[in-house]
Amino acid sequence: MSETPYSPLVVEHFGHPRNVGRFAPAADVITASAGDPEQGVRFDLSARVHGDRIVAMRFEVYGCPHCIAAGSLLSERLQGATQEQLRRWSWREASDELEFPPDKRGRLLVLEDAVHALATQWQRRQ
Amino acid sequence: MNTVTTIYLDYAASTPVDPRVADVMIECLRPSGAQGNPSSAGHEYGRRARGMVEKARAQVAAAIGARPDCIVWTSGATESDNLAIFGVARFNADRGRHLVSSKTEHKAVLDPLKQLEREGFEVTWLKPAADGIVRPEQVRAALRPDTQLVSLMHVNNEIGVVQDIAAVGAICRERGVPFHVDAAQSAGKLPLNVETMNVDLMSLTAHKIYGPKGVGALYVRRKPPLGLQPLIYGGGQEHGLRSGTLATHQIVGMGLAFEIAEREREQDVERICALRDQLWAGIASIGDVELNGHPRDCVAGLLNISFRGIEGESLQFALRELAVSAGAACSSASEEASYVLRALGRSDQLAQSSLRFSLGRFTTAEQIETAIAAVKREVTRLRSFSPQAANAEKKS
């Protein structure tokens, strides 16, 4: 096996990303985006909410394997999350777990922006 | 990934050594080969080594229509480019300090020219058209009374476009300006003749033509003589232009590699062009892809393709069963989008999402079919979760 610059967890999520796609617009669906493909990364998040919890997450991503893995991991972690948990979500959670290289951590700040924007969108809906 | 099963489609970065070339190199390293120093004319060992070096010199010279005494051995095309550019510029610095080149040259040309700019020379950087081609009239318009050198690559290493070297050379001859051509990517793929192409200096390398890495040559016109200041001083080998003990086994390998490449060029090119067309047809059928470079004036075996809506690093990793390059191999460590594609006006997104497929002597139709299937599978997969914004932006 030749070495790759990615951790086994990144390789796993890159090859089998969870919860990809987007929900069709609906009363219980919230969406948020951050980033720009011209800058190398963009995340589109959509979530189905029920009461004070997220019941299902979907994501789309333009970015490197680390970013695809981060979107996939996030979509798993945010199942069942509350608005407050979205607001508190920090890029460090994904960075540590996926062993993000320091020079790519800025891309996780874009994901953090998308997550916080999702919380704001949710609040506006209520 | 088991590298044994990886399909090699990176011939523009480096070719495997042809087994026939490897055989003569190994023979050269044996006791019966060339253990003497080619400069030791006083004994049989040295004369034997010298004979091998001169045979190789004649082989390389024949492949480019040159006289053997015009061939100077170097460590590769990078050194040849450096010797040509620094050599001419510094030799003629008292007469003028203006040079002409293009924005899409290899780094081995760009960086010496940038260094000369820091030393007080002035460089006119020509911008190719969107198809990657520098029009000869652009060169004519850039020439000045104090121009000391024009340097233009024959075939671009990233996109494979072919420049009209003979026409540019004719303009340089008319104006009495030395003309340097980096032919690292064209040897063995296009006919080369320094006389009909009006070339004064030509950089060559062995490892892109099924020879060994670490050896190259610079053709230097002798009649009329061309002033050139050496980069390396020492034993005065190669007419004082490149001191250092000659790497006999490397040189022998380069000589045979050039002889084979020229002898088999037409059949190789015909076969490889058919494989390239097969690959392009398969990838183009996926849709939302763009061919970078000129559709016809392109060297055999090279395809540079941008994939809309997919980030380049992910595409390369998804296709790790294929050995391909994202941008130029020499600079792929950089995240900067390809400067060549940017110079041709591609957006950052398209430049970042480009892959270079390069085919060669040992590529098979079966490998191409496997590659097409892999590209189709992975491009479709990655696009399936690419944001609509990426897909919409890319078409604007």
Side-chain angles (χ1 to χ4, degrees), chain A residues 26-31 47-54 81-87 117-126:
Chain A
D28 61 345
V29 169
I30 51 172
T31 61
R48 176 161 282 136
V49 298
H50 182 75
D52 65 347
R53 300 275 173 184
I54 288 176
T82 63
Q83 243 182 71
E84 187 53 30
Q85 285 171 316
L86 290 190
R87 278 198 202 88
L118 195 64
T120 303
Q121 185 68 18
W122 193 355
Q123 188 177 24
R124 283 184 188 149
R125 282 288 181 92
Q126 290 174 327

PDB file of all heavy atoms in Angstrom, chain A residues 26-31 47-54 81-87 117-126:
ATOM      1  N   ALA A  26     -39.012  22.879   2.149  1.00  0.00           N
ATOM      2  CA  ALA A  26     -40.221  22.501   2.878  1.00  0.00           C
ATOM      3  C   ALA A  26     -40.258  23.290   4.176  1.00  0.00           C
ATOM      4  O   ALA A  26     -39.249  23.911   4.570  1.00  0.00           O
ATOM      5  CB  ALA A  26     -40.214  20.998   3.169  1.00  0.00           C
ATOM      6  N   ALA A  27     -41.403  23.282   4.842  1.00  0.00           N
ATOM      7  CA  ALA A  27     -41.558  24.072   6.062  1.00  0.00           C
ATOM      8  C   ALA A  27     -40.586  23.629   7.148  1.00  0.00           C
ATOM      9  O   ALA A  27     -40.137  24.440   7.970  1.00  0.00           O
ATOM     10  CB  ALA A  27     -42.994  23.948   6.556  1.00  0.00           C
ATOM     11  N   ASP A  28     -40.244  22.355   7.173  1.00  0.00           N
ATOM     12  CA  ASP A  28     -39.360  21.859   8.238  1.00  0.00           C
ATOM     13  C   ASP A  28     -37.900  21.720   7.781  1.00  0.00           C
ATOM     14  O   ASP A  28     -37.104  21.059   8.431  1.00  0.00           O
ATOM     15  CB  ASP A  28     -39.878  20.509   8.760  1.00  0.00           C
ATOM     16  CG  ASP A  28     -39.903  19.441   7.678  1.00  0.00           C
ATOM     17  OD1 ASP A  28     -39.788  19.816   6.484  1.00  0.00           O
ATOM     18  OD2 ASP A  28     -40.008  18.251   8.021  1.00  0.00           O
ATOM     19  N   VAL A  29     -37.558  22.338   6.637  1.00  0.00           N
ATOM     20  CA  VAL A  29     -36.177  22.235   6.125  1.00  0.00           C
ATOM     21  C   VAL A  29     -35.481  23.588   6.232  1.00  0.00           C
ATOM     22  O   VAL A  29     -36.037  24.616   5.829  1.00  0.00           O
ATOM     23  CB  VAL A  29     -36.179  21.746   4.652  1.00  0.00           C
ATOM     24  CG1 VAL A  29     -34.787  21.890   4.035  1.00  0.00           C
ATOM     25  CG2 VAL A  29     -36.645  20.287   4.586  1.00  0.00           C
ATOM     26  N   ILE A  30     -34.279  23.570   6.788  1.00  0.00           N
ATOM     27  CA  ILE A  30     -33.471  24.791   6.836  1.00  0.00           C
ATOM     28  C   ILE A  30     -32.188  24.546   6.037  1.00  0.00           C
ATOM     29  O   ILE A  30     -31.693  23.413   5.962  1.00  0.00           O
ATOM     30  CB  ILE A  30     -33.104  25.190   8.284  1.00  0.00           C
ATOM     31  CG1 ILE A  30     -32.495  23.991   9.046  1.00  0.00           C
ATOM     32  CG2 ILE A  30     -34.322  25.745   9.004  1.00  0.00           C
ATOM     33  CD1 ILE A  30     -31.944  24.367  10.407  1.00  0.00           C
ATOM     34  N   THR A  31     -31.670  25.613   5.416  1.00  0.00           N
ATOM     35  CA  THR A  31     -30.473  25.465   4.582  1.00  0.00           C
ATOM     36  C   THR A  31     -29.499  26.594   4.873  1.00  0.00           C
ATOM     37  O   THR A  31     -29.901  27.681   5.302  1.00  0.00           O
ATOM     38  CB  THR A  31     -30.810  25.497   3.078  1.00  0.00           C
ATOM     39  OG1 THR A  31     -31.409  26.753   2.778  1.00  0.00           O
ATOM     40  CG2 THR A  31     -31.759  24.367   2.699  1.00  0.00           C
ATOM     41  N   ALA A  47     -30.989  20.753   6.559  1.00  0.00           N
ATOM     42  CA  ALA A  47     -31.379  19.924   7.704  1.00  0.00           C
ATOM     43  C   ALA A  47     -32.903  19.908   7.824  1.00  0.00           C
ATOM     44  O   ALA A  47     -33.573  20.906   7.533  1.00  0.00           O
ATOM     45  CB  ALA A  47     -30.775  20.483   8.993  1.00  0.00           C
ATOM     46  N   ARG A  48     -33.423  18.755   8.234  1.00  0.00           N
ATOM     47  CA  ARG A  48     -34.863  18.651   8.546  1.00  0.00           C
ATOM     48  C   ARG A  48     -34.976  18.711  10.061  1.00  0.00           C
ATOM     49  O   ARG A  48     -34.279  17.951  10.756  1.00  0.00           O
ATOM     50  CB  ARG A  48     -35.421  17.343   7.990  1.00  0.00           C
ATOM     51  CG  ARG A  48     -36.874  17.095   8.340  1.00  0.00           C
ATOM     52  CD  ARG A  48     -37.518  16.078   7.420  1.00  0.00           C
ATOM     53  NE  ARG A  48     -37.857  16.674   6.138  1.00  0.00           N
ATOM     54  CZ  ARG A  48     -37.632  16.098   4.960  1.00  0.00           C
ATOM     55  NH1 ARG A  48     -37.071  14.917   4.904  1.00  0.00           N
ATOM     56  NH2 ARG A  48     -37.971  16.709   3.847  1.00  0.00           N
ATOM     57  N   VAL A  49     -35.799  19.642  10.549  1.00  0.00           N
ATOM     58  CA  VAL A  49     -35.896  19.820  11.994  1.00  0.00           C
ATOM     59  C   VAL A  49     -37.278  19.411  12.487  1.00  0.00           C
ATOM     60  O   VAL A  49     -38.270  19.513  11.751  1.00  0.00           O
ATOM     61  CB  VAL A  49     -35.589  21.281  12.409  1.00  0.00           C
ATOM     62  CG1 VAL A  49     -34.166  21.650  12.029  1.00  0.00           C
ATOM     63  CG2 VAL A  49     -36.562  22.251  11.765  1.00  0.00           C
ATOM     64  N   HIS A  50     -37.276  18.971  13.729  1.00  0.00           N
ATOM     65  CA  HIS A  50     -38.557  18.642  14.364  1.00  0.00           C
ATOM     66  C   HIS A  50     -38.436  19.060  15.828  1.00  0.00           C
ATOM     67  O   HIS A  50     -37.558  18.564  16.546  1.00  0.00           O
ATOM     68  CB  HIS A  50     -38.840  17.137  14.244  1.00  0.00           C
ATOM     69  CG  HIS A  50     -40.176  16.767  14.831  1.00  0.00           C
ATOM     70  ND1 HIS A  50     -41.364  17.051  14.202  1.00  0.00           N
ATOM     71  CD2 HIS A  50     -40.494  16.145  15.985  1.00  0.00           C
ATOM     72  CE1 HIS A  50     -42.361  16.614  14.937  1.00  0.00           C
ATOM     73  NE2 HIS A  50     -41.871  16.062  16.040  1.00  0.00           N
ATOM     74  N   GLY A  51     -39.314  19.994  16.237  1.00  0.00           N
ATOM     75  CA  GLY A  51     -39.200  20.516  17.597  1.00  0.00           C
ATOM     76  C   GLY A  51     -37.875  21.247  17.744  1.00  0.00           C
ATOM     77  O   GLY A  51     -37.524  22.089  16.925  1.00  0.00           O
ATOM     78  N   ASP A  52     -37.120  20.909  18.754  1.00  0.00           N
ATOM     79  CA  ASP A  52     -35.836  21.605  18.978  1.00  0.00           C
ATOM     80  C   ASP A  52     -34.639  20.762  18.508  1.00  0.00           C
ATOM     81  O   ASP A  52     -33.514  21.001  18.931  1.00  0.00           O
ATOM     82  CB  ASP A  52     -35.693  21.964  20.464  1.00  0.00           C
ATOM     83  CG  ASP A  52     -35.610  20.733  21.342  1.00  0.00           C
ATOM     84  OD1 ASP A  52     -35.917  19.617  20.832  1.00  0.00           O
ATOM     85  OD2 ASP A  52     -35.228  20.865  22.515  1.00  0.00           O
ATOM     86  N   ARG A  53     -34.899  19.784  17.668  1.00  0.00           N
ATOM     87  CA  ARG A  53     -33.805  18.901  17.224  1.00  0.00           C
ATOM     88  C   ARG A  53     -33.721  18.792  15.704  1.00  0.00           C
ATOM     89  O   ARG A  53     -34.751  18.853  15.015  1.00  0.00           O
ATOM     90  CB  ARG A  53     -34.017  17.473  17.769  1.00  0.00           C
ATOM     91  CG  ARG A  53     -34.069  17.363  19.271  1.00  0.00           C
ATOM     92  CD  ARG A  53     -32.681  17.255  19.852  1.00  0.00           C
ATOM     93  NE  ARG A  53     -32.743  17.323  21.307  1.00  0.00           N
ATOM     94  CZ  ARG A  53     -31.648  17.322  22.091  1.00  0.00           C
ATOM     95  NH1 ARG A  53     -30.452  17.255  21.558  1.00  0.00           N
ATOM     96  NH2 ARG A  53     -31.761  17.403  23.387  1.00  0.00           N
ATOM     97  N   ILE A  54     -32.499  18.571  15.223  1.00  0.00           N
ATOM     98  CA  ILE A  54     -32.312  18.189  13.817  1.00  0.00           C
ATOM     99  C   ILE A  54     -32.593  16.694  13.718  1.00  0.00           C
ATOM    100  O   ILE A  54     -32.010  15.905  14.473  1.00  0.00           O
ATOM    101  CB  ILE A  54     -30.866  18.483  13.352  1.00  0.00           C
ATOM    102  CG1 ILE A  54     -30.661  19.996  13.200  1.00  0.00           C
ATOM    103  CG2 ILE A  54     -30.564  17.774  12.033  1.00  0.00           C
ATOM    104  CD1 ILE A  54     -29.252  20.397  12.829  1.00  0.00           C
ATOM    105  N   ALA A  81     -28.936  17.324  16.861  1.00  0.00           N
ATOM    106  CA  ALA A  81     -28.374  18.517  17.508  1.00  0.00           C
ATOM    107  C   ALA A  81     -29.450  19.583  17.713  1.00  0.00           C
ATOM    108  O   ALA A  81     -30.444  19.652  16.977  1.00  0.00           O
ATOM    109  CB  ALA A  81     -27.249  19.090  16.646  1.00  0.00           C
ATOM    110  N   THR A  82     -29.212  20.424  18.720  1.00  0.00           N
ATOM    111  CA  THR A  82     -30.099  21.566  18.981  1.00  0.00           C
ATOM    112  C   THR A  82     -29.482  22.815  18.357  1.00  0.00           C
ATOM    113  O   THR A  82     -28.316  22.817  17.945  1.00  0.00           O
ATOM    114  CB  THR A  82     -30.244  21.806  20.487  1.00  0.00           C
ATOM    115  OG1 THR A  82     -28.935  22.143  21.000  1.00  0.00           O
ATOM    116  CG2 THR A  82     -30.776  20.575  21.204  1.00  0.00           C
ATOM    117  N   GLN A  83     -30.299  23.886  18.352  1.00  0.00           N
ATOM    118  CA  GLN A  83     -29.782  25.164  17.841  1.00  0.00           C
ATOM    119  C   GLN A  83     -28.521  25.600  18.600  1.00  0.00           C
ATOM    120  O   GLN A  83     -27.555  26.073  18.007  1.00  0.00           O
ATOM    121  CB  GLN A  83     -30.858  26.221  18.050  1.00  0.00           C
ATOM    122  CG  GLN A  83     -31.365  26.816  16.765  1.00  0.00           C
ATOM    123  CD  GLN A  83     -32.384  27.897  17.070  1.00  0.00           C
ATOM    124  OE1 GLN A  83     -32.034  28.979  17.553  1.00  0.00           O
ATOM    125  NE2 GLN A  83     -33.642  27.602  16.821  1.00  0.00           N
ATOM    126  N   GLU A  84     -28.575  25.437  19.909  1.00  0.00           N
ATOM    127  CA  GLU A  84     -27.450  25.860  20.729  1.00  0.00           C
ATOM    128  C   GLU A  84     -26.180  25.075  20.383  1.00  0.00           C
ATOM    129  O   GLU A  84     -25.079  25.621  20.337  1.00  0.00           O
ATOM    130  CB  GLU A  84     -27.812  25.684  22.227  1.00  0.00           C
ATOM    131  CG  GLU A  84     -26.784  26.237  23.195  1.00  0.00           C
ATOM    132  CD  GLU A  84     -26.428  27.698  22.908  1.00  0.00           C
ATOM    133  OE1 GLU A  84     -27.273  28.453  22.402  1.00  0.00           O
ATOM    134  OE2 GLU A  84     -25.266  28.071  23.186  1.00  0.00           O
ATOM    135  N   GLN A  85     -26.382  23.787  20.129  1.00  0.00           N
ATOM    136  CA  GLN A  85     -25.219  22.959  19.744  1.00  0.00           C
ATOM    137  C   GLN A  85     -24.644  23.400  18.396  1.00  0.00           C
ATOM    138  O   GLN A  85     -23.444  23.364  18.193  1.00  0.00           O
ATOM    139  CB  GLN A  85     -25.620  21.477  19.707  1.00  0.00           C
ATOM    140  CG  GLN A  85     -25.768  20.878  21.110  1.00  0.00           C
ATOM    141  CD  GLN A  85     -26.374  19.488  21.077  1.00  0.00           C
ATOM    142  OE1 GLN A  85     -27.339  19.226  20.372  1.00  0.00           O
ATOM    143  NE2 GLN A  85     -25.798  18.576  21.857  1.00  0.00           N
ATOM    144  N   LEU A  86     -25.504  23.812  17.484  1.00  0.00           N
ATOM    145  CA  LEU A  86     -24.997  24.324  16.199  1.00  0.00           C
ATOM    146  C   LEU A  86     -24.159  25.579  16.445  1.00  0.00           C
ATOM    147  O   LEU A  86     -23.085  25.748  15.867  1.00  0.00           O
ATOM    148  CB  LEU A  86     -26.143  24.691  15.255  1.00  0.00           C
ATOM    149  CG  LEU A  86     -26.990  23.580  14.645  1.00  0.00           C
ATOM    150  CD1 LEU A  86     -27.898  24.149  13.555  1.00  0.00           C
ATOM    151  CD2 LEU A  86     -26.119  22.502  14.028  1.00  0.00           C
ATOM    152  N   ARG A  87     -24.668  26.490  17.289  1.00  0.00           N
ATOM    153  CA  ARG A  87     -23.948  27.744  17.544  1.00  0.00           C
ATOM    154  C   ARG A  87     -22.597  27.499  18.197  1.00  0.00           C
ATOM    155  O   ARG A  87     -21.648  28.227  17.963  1.00  0.00           O
ATOM    156  CB  ARG A  87     -24.790  28.663  18.442  1.00  0.00           C
ATOM    157  CG  ARG A  87     -25.829  29.425  17.687  1.00  0.00           C
ATOM    158  CD  ARG A  87     -26.342  30.623  18.454  1.00  0.00           C
ATOM    159  NE  ARG A  87     -27.653  30.974  17.933  1.00  0.00           N
ATOM    160  CZ  ARG A  87     -28.786  30.450  18.387  1.00  0.00           C
ATOM    161  NH1 ARG A  87     -28.782  29.610  19.397  1.00  0.00           N
ATOM    162  NH2 ARG A  87     -29.928  30.788  17.830  1.00  0.00           N
ATOM    163  N   ALA A 117     -24.438  29.617  10.239  1.00  0.00           N
ATOM    164  CA  ALA A 117     -25.493  30.201   9.402  1.00  0.00           C
ATOM    165  C   ALA A 117     -26.754  29.339   9.447  1.00  0.00           C
ATOM    166  O   ALA A 117     -27.879  29.847   9.386  1.00  0.00           O
ATOM    167  CB  ALA A 117     -25.000  30.333   7.956  1.00  0.00           C
ATOM    168  N   LEU A 118     -26.556  28.032   9.593  1.00  0.00           N
ATOM    169  CA  LEU A 118     -27.700  27.122   9.690  1.00  0.00           C
ATOM    170  C   LEU A 118     -28.484  27.411  10.987  1.00  0.00           C
ATOM    171  O   LEU A 118     -29.719  27.432  10.993  1.00  0.00           O
ATOM    172  CB  LEU A 118     -27.201  25.674   9.666  1.00  0.00           C
ATOM    173  CG  LEU A 118     -28.226  24.577   9.397  1.00  0.00           C
ATOM    174  CD1 LEU A 118     -28.828  24.712   8.003  1.00  0.00           C
ATOM    175  CD2 LEU A 118     -27.571  23.194   9.535  1.00  0.00           C
ATOM    176  N   ALA A 119     -27.739  27.672  12.065  1.00  0.00           N
ATOM    177  CA  ALA A 119     -28.388  27.994  13.344  1.00  0.00           C
ATOM    178  C   ALA A 119     -29.192  29.288  13.221  1.00  0.00           C
ATOM    179  O   ALA A 119     -30.333  29.391  13.711  1.00  0.00           O
ATOM    180  CB  ALA A 119     -27.328  28.132  14.443  1.00  0.00           C
ATOM    181  N   THR A 120     -28.604  30.280  12.552  1.00  0.00           N
ATOM    182  CA  THR A 120     -29.294  31.570  12.372  1.00  0.00           C
ATOM    183  C   THR A 120     -30.569  31.382  11.550  1.00  0.00           C
ATOM    184  O   THR A 120     -31.621  31.940  11.863  1.00  0.00           O
ATOM    185  CB  THR A 120     -28.338  32.563  11.661  1.00  0.00           C
ATOM    186  OG1 THR A 120     -27.151  32.664  12.443  1.00  0.00           O
ATOM    187  CG2 THR A 120     -28.978  33.924  11.486  1.00  0.00           C
ATOM    188  N   GLN A 121     -30.444  30.565  10.507  1.00  0.00           N
ATOM    189  CA  GLN A 121     -31.591  30.298   9.640  1.00  0.00           C
ATOM    190  C   GLN A 121     -32.722  29.631  10.439  1.00  0.00           C
ATOM    191  O   GLN A 121     -33.899  29.953  10.290  1.00  0.00           O
ATOM    192  CB  GLN A 121     -31.130  29.384   8.490  1.00  0.00           C
ATOM    193  CG  GLN A 121     -32.175  29.114   7.432  1.00  0.00           C
ATOM    194  CD  GLN A 121     -32.491  30.372   6.627  1.00  0.00           C
ATOM    195  OE1 GLN A 121     -31.729  31.324   6.634  1.00  0.00           O
ATOM    196  NE2 GLN A 121     -33.643  30.377   5.967  1.00  0.00           N
ATOM    197  N   TRP A 122     -32.338  28.723  11.279  1.00  0.00           N
ATOM    198  CA  TRP A 122     -33.302  27.980  12.126  1.00  0.00           C
ATOM    199  C   TRP A 122     -34.033  28.952  13.057  1.00  0.00           C
ATOM    200  O   TRP A 122     -35.254  28.922  13.188  1.00  0.00           O
ATOM    201  CB  TRP A 122     -32.517  26.924  12.909  1.00  0.00           C
ATOM    202  CG  TRP A 122     -33.367  25.899  13.579  1.00  0.00           C
ATOM    203  CD1 TRP A 122     -34.733  25.833  13.652  1.00  0.00           C
ATOM    204  CD2 TRP A 122     -32.874  24.755  14.290  1.00  0.00           C
ATOM    205  NE1 TRP A 122     -35.127  24.733  14.349  1.00  0.00           N
ATOM    206  CE2 TRP A 122     -34.004  24.037  14.762  1.00  0.00           C
ATOM    207  CE3 TRP A 122     -31.603  24.253  14.584  1.00  0.00           C
ATOM    208  CZ2 TRP A 122     -33.878  22.867  15.505  1.00  0.00           C
ATOM    209  CZ3 TRP A 122     -31.470  23.096  15.314  1.00  0.00           C
ATOM    210  CH2 TRP A 122     -32.607  22.402  15.765  1.00  0.00           C
ATOM    211  N   GLN A 123     -33.249  29.844  13.662  1.00  0.00           N
ATOM    212  CA  GLN A 123     -33.833  30.813  14.601  1.00  0.00           C
ATOM    213  C   GLN A 123     -34.856  31.705  13.885  1.00  0.00           C
ATOM    214  O   GLN A 123     -35.914  31.997  14.413  1.00  0.00           O
ATOM    215  CB  GLN A 123     -32.708  31.667  15.191  1.00  0.00           C
ATOM    216  CG  GLN A 123     -33.176  32.576  16.306  1.00  0.00           C
ATOM    217  CD  GLN A 123     -32.013  33.359  16.913  1.00  0.00           C
ATOM    218  OE1 GLN A 123     -30.991  33.573  16.272  1.00  0.00           O
ATOM    219  NE2 GLN A 123     -32.173  33.777  18.150  1.00  0.00           N
ATOM    220  N   ARG A 124     -34.506  32.123  12.652  1.00  0.00           N
ATOM    221  CA  ARG A 124     -35.413  32.983  11.884  1.00  0.00           C
ATOM    222  C   ARG A 124     -36.718  32.277  11.552  1.00  0.00           C
ATOM    223  O   ARG A 124     -37.752  32.914  11.400  1.00  0.00           O
ATOM    224  CB  ARG A 124     -34.733  33.418  10.582  1.00  0.00           C
ATOM    225  CG  ARG A 124     -33.712  34.508  10.806  1.00  0.00           C
ATOM    226  CD  ARG A 124     -33.132  34.987   9.492  1.00  0.00           C
ATOM    227  NE  ARG A 124     -32.025  35.891   9.731  1.00  0.00           N
ATOM    228  CZ  ARG A 124     -30.975  36.029   8.932  1.00  0.00           C
ATOM    229  NH1 ARG A 124     -30.886  35.299   7.846  1.00  0.00           N
ATOM    230  NH2 ARG A 124     -30.038  36.881   9.219  1.00  0.00           N
ATOM    231  N   ARG A 125     -36.628  30.964  11.392  1.00  0.00           N
ATOM    232  CA  ARG A 125     -37.830  30.199  11.045  1.00  0.00           C
ATOM    233  C   ARG A 125     -38.823  30.135  12.204  1.00  0.00           C
ATOM    234  O   ARG A 125     -40.013  29.924  12.001  1.00  0.00           O
ATOM    235  CB  ARG A 125     -37.449  28.763  10.672  1.00  0.00           C
ATOM    236  CG  ARG A 125     -36.889  28.601   9.299  1.00  0.00           C
ATOM    237  CD  ARG A 125     -38.011  28.778   8.257  1.00  0.00           C
ATOM    238  NE  ARG A 125     -37.484  28.596   6.918  1.00  0.00           N
ATOM    239  CZ  ARG A 125     -37.482  27.432   6.299  1.00  0.00           C
ATOM    240  NH1 ARG A 125     -37.980  26.369   6.891  1.00  0.00           N
ATOM    241  NH2 ARG A 125     -36.988  27.336   5.089  1.00  0.00           N
ATOM    242  N   GLN A 126     -38.296  30.286  13.410  1.00  0.00           N
ATOM    243  CA  GLN A 126     -39.151  30.062  14.580  1.00  0.00           C
ATOM    244  C   GLN A 126     -39.970  31.314  14.946  1.00  0.00           C
ATOM    245  O   GLN A 126     -39.610  32.404  14.639  1.00  0.00           O
ATOM    246  CB  GLN A 126     -38.310  29.637  15.784  1.00  0.00           C
ATOM    247  CG  GLN A 126     -37.764  28.235  15.593  1.00  0.00           C
ATOM    248  CD  GLN A 126     -36.820  27.806  16.681  1.00  0.00           C
ATOM    249  OE1 GLN A 126     -36.098  28.636  17.234  1.00  0.00           O
ATOM    250  NE2 GLN A 126     -36.810  26.529  16.993  1.00  0.00           N
TER     251      GLN A 126
END
